[in-house]
Amino acid sequence: MYQTQQQQGPSSPILPPSRSQDQQQDSDYVYFERTTAGFTSDAVARSTAAKLKLASYYKVAVDAAIARNARRIELETRLIQIHTADGKEREIRKYAKLEASHLRLRRTKITLADFRTVKVIGKGAFGEVRLVQKLDTGKVYAMKSLHKAEMLKRDQLAHVRAERDVLAESTSPWVVQLFYSFQDPFYLFLVMEFLPGGDLMTMLMKYDVFSEDVTRFYMAECILAIEAVHQLGYIHRDIKPDNVLIDKNGHLKLSDFGLSTGLHKGSDGEYYKKFLEQEKTQNPARNSVQVNPINLTMSREQIATWKANRRKLAYSTVGTPDYIAPEVFLMKGYGKECDWWSLGAIFFECLVGYAPFCSENPADTYKKIIEWPNYLFFPEEVFISREGEDLLRQMMTWADKRLTVNQIKTHPFFFGADWNALRNIEPPFVPHLQSSTDTSYFPTDEFGNVPEQMEQVEGITKEQNFAFMNFTYRRLDTQGGR
């Protein structure tokens, strides 16, 4: 039958004449205009919603079928390797139990009512992070909530999508695990593993500086964490101490992928463009002020002011530019190399006690980073080994001269490092926890007593809510929690 249709050629009524893609799109647009011309805007909106929901439903169904088929093939492969009837029967029973569990979990809808708030452990520009306990299992999680209206207002939808996608795709031990994502009319929720050791920023604020040995350990773990993100096909773009979390065993994991982007989108500098525009609007006088190149060092008072304000900057809508690579600000295109610059800035802070380009205001920090050769300065009173300084200078340089991950790993500063066994090594610091809900390593006093109920915030329209379709996620391969 197919051959007969093909032989009928271009004039066949079955196969219309071929058209270019642009012609086809124009035709589709005209057809859409004709078919919707006689309907109200409400009817068109309803039909669009129905189309989106149907597409979403079948996408989820097809993805589930593909995953189930992959599990069945895996079972068949295991059965071939087993030569006893009892062994095969055990594997089949295990498979049937797993499939029943998957189906049960898919049918169960997760809502905010399934969790009990223990304490607020963090705040951000668009929401907060709570320590929560799942009522049916008692397991503990960190739950990030984000205002939908604020996300749309500040054009942050792509950022939260990126974070959800990275966390959902990753199974790396170096990346915080996502167990659930869901939503209600006002909020988006990301339910992740709780890492009770706090973050690297809190540790730096407590100890001020680390020895080279301690710094070497943490930098090595950060290198593997960033490498894991790059292997997923993403650039993190926001590597900073408060996004490096510490688990119950003292090892590190990366979090907060709100600014991460696919490697093919490496020239996207809109976020930072907005930051610069905001700085110009709020501080017009600074645009004409040039940072004095002779003033390479900051006074102790200025450094103390920077340290005192760093937590406030972490909570702001803009964040801190201290760790951002110059090519990101220049908006001429950048790749995964920008994450190695950011790690270099953290490396510097661990050894020196403050970020290399810190200033009393973000605009001056930005100017210093853009003109970094004039401002990268190693204070004489701080001892840094020759290998440490060399590695820093080769990480904090122009992108085309920056070391790759393999070059960083083989640098003399990491001589003797066993990269395959880092998570088996005793860390320099292991948190002493009193319970599974211990939050003593978080600055929870700053947030006060928070009510169980979420704050009432501005709502969004049904049409706007379509932007958050397919946000729901559930990790089926593990039970999660603590």
Side-chain angles (χ1 to χ4, degrees):
M1 182 175 74
Y2 295 110
Q3 290 179 351
T4 304
Q5 291 175 0
Q6 289 172 356
Q7 289 169 358
Q8 290 174 345
S11 61
S12 166
I14 298 176
L15 292 179
S18 61
R19 292 175 292 176
S20 70
Q21 187 175 2
D22 289 341
Q23 289 174 325
Q24 182 65 47
Q25 288 176 346
D26 291 342
S27 175
D28 290 345
Y29 178 74
V30 172
Y31 176 75
F32 179 78
E33 284 292 306
R34 286 174 183 167
T35 56
T36 59
F39 297 99
T40 65
S41 58
D42 183 60
V44 173
R46 286 170 178 252
S47 65
T48 303
K51 180 181 177 182
L52 288 171
K53 287 180 179 178
L54 281 170
S56 172
Y57 172 82
Y58 283 110
K59 181 183 183 304
V60 171
V62 169
D63 288 346
I66 292 172
R68 186 170 186 174
N69 189 51
R71 293 192 296 271
R72 182 182 58 78
I73 292 171
E74 184 183 347
L75 170 69
E76 291 172 352
T77 304
R78 289 201 306 271
L79 291 177
I80 293 172
Q81 299 169 353
I82 298 173
H83 302 290
T84 63
D86 288 345
K88 289 184 178 182
E89 190 176 343
R90 272 195 306 273
E91 285 296 322
I92 292 172
R93 283 201 302 268
K94 181 180 175 183
Y95 171 79
K97 186 176 179 181
L98 179 66
E99 288 303 312
S101 174
H102 281 189
L103 288 172
R104 186 167 57 253
L105 286 171
R106 283 187 60 200
R107 287 194 296 265
T108 306
K109 185 178 179 180
I110 297 292
T111 68
L112 188 59
D114 293 312
F115 300 92
R116 177 182 71 86
T117 296
V118 178
K119 191 172 281 189
V120 172
I121 57 175
K123 278 190 179 290
F126 307 104
E128 61 191 16
V129 181
R130 295 183 174 213
L131 177 64
V132 298
Q133 197 164 24
K134 200 161 185 289
L135 295 177
D136 59 347
T137 63
K139 290 180 178 176
V140 175
Y141 302 91
M143 183 171 74
K144 178 187 285 191
S145 59
L146 299 163
H147 300 172
K148 283 184 175 181
E150 279 297 306
M151 299 295 290
L152 289 173
K153 194 181 299 181
R154 298 179 184 272
D155 197 22
Q156 296 293 303
L157 180 59
H159 296 158
V160 72
R161 278 284 181 186
E163 177 164 31
R164 178 233 180 254
D165 291 348
V166 174
L167 295 176
E169 289 177 33
S170 174
T171 57
S172 170
W174 299 106
V175 174
V176 173
Q177 282 216 323
L178 175 70
F179 293 108
Y180 309 99
S181 64
F182 61 96
Q183 58 183 297
D184 66 14
F186 306 100
Y187 288 95
L188 300 175
F189 299 97
L190 295 165
V191 180
M192 302 167 284
E193 65 176 316
F194 171 53
L195 301 183
D199 57 40
L200 198 59
M201 179 171 71
T202 303
M203 192 181 294
L204 281 167
M205 291 173 72
K206 181 178 179 180
Y207 295 104
D208 198 38
V209 294
F210 298 154
S211 68
E212 279 209 356
D213 286 339
V214 171
T215 300
R216 184 180 292 107
F217 177 85
Y218 286 136
M219 290 304 100
E221 293 213 329
C222 284
I223 288 164
L224 293 184
I226 294 170
E227 184 181 29
V229 174
H230 291 174
Q231 287 172 348
L232 284 172
Y234 291 90
I235 312 168
H236 191 287
R237 297 201 305 174
D238 200 24
I239 302 292
K240 54 187 179 183
D242 37 320
N243 288 341
V244 179
L245 302 184
I246 302 167
D247 69 15
K248 62 180 180 179
N249 299 314
H251 293 282
L252 304 184
K253 292 195 179 193
L254 272 183
S255 73
D256 207 338
F257 293 83
L259 291 184
S260 63
T261 182
L263 297 183
H264 61 286
K265 295 182 181 178
S267 60
D268 177 17
E270 288 302 310
Y271 175 83
Y272 302 105
K273 183 180 179 181
K274 290 177 183 176
F275 159 72
L276 295 176
E277 288 173 351
Q278 181 173 332
E279 276 296 310
K280 290 176 183 177
T281 303
Q282 293 178 350
N283 304 286
R286 284 184 193 155
N287 300 318
S288 59
V289 176
Q290 296 296 317
V291 182
N292 186 356
I294 301 173
N295 253 339
L296 293 178
T297 60
M298 292 178 68
S299 68
R300 290 184 179 180
E301 292 77 13
Q302 289 173 316
I303 292 171
T305 301
W306 176 82
K307 290 182 177 180
N309 291 333
R310 62 193 312 210
R311 182 71 73 178
K312 294 177 184 176
L313 274 173
Y315 298 156
S316 72
T317 54
V318 173
T320 172
D322 287 292
Y323 309 94
I324 297 171
E327 66 267 22
V328 177
F329 276 134
L330 291 169
M331 291 183 285
K332 294 181 179 178
Y334 58 88
K336 56 188 176 183
E337 300 83 11
C338 69
D339 286 341
W340 301 123
W341 169 285
S342 301
L343 184 60
I346 298 175
F347 185 7
F348 183 101
E349 184 178 350
C350 289
L351 294 175
V352 177
Y354 51 88
F357 307 106
C358 68
S359 300
E360 291 185 278
N361 62 74
D364 287 348
T365 299
Y366 155 72
K367 291 175 183 178
K368 284 184 177 182
I369 291 173
I370 293 295
E371 301 176 17
W372 69 266
N374 296 328
Y375 297 100
L376 183 58
F377 172 75
F378 293 82
E380 294 181 1
E381 66 271 15
V382 178
F383 171 78
I384 301 176
S385 68
R386 193 186 324 173
E387 294 81 7
E389 182 175 337
D390 180 72
L391 178 57
L392 270 168
R393 290 188 181 278
Q394 294 198 65
M395 291 175 74
M396 303 193 73
T397 185
W398 297 115
D400 59 343
K401 298 178 181 178
R402 211 168 293 155
L403 295 183
T404 65
V405 61
N406 290 328
Q407 290 172 328
I408 294 172
K409 285 181 175 180
T410 55
H411 190 276
F413 182 77
F414 291 110
F415 177 77
D418 187 348
W419 294 97
N420 296 319
L422 279 181
R423 294 197 81 88
N424 299 322
I425 297 173
E426 181 78 10
F429 159 77
V430 179
H432 301 286
L433 304 171
Q434 302 300 319
S435 67
S436 62
T437 58
D438 190 337
T439 59
S440 57
Y441 293 96
F442 291 85
T444 53
D445 293 340
E446 298 178 16
F447 312 126
N449 295 321
V450 178
E452 178 76 22
Q453 296 296 322
M454 298 293 296
E455 178 189 356
Q456 290 297 311
V457 295
E458 178 186 352
I460 59 175
T461 66
K462 287 184 178 180
E463 289 76 15
Q464 288 175 319
N465 210 44
F466 294 150
F468 301 104
M469 195 169 287
N470 288 332
F471 183 78
T472 302
Y473 169 81
R474 182 196 305 269
R475 189 175 290 272
L476 298 176
D477 57 349
T478 179
Q479 294 300 311
R482 295 186 62 225

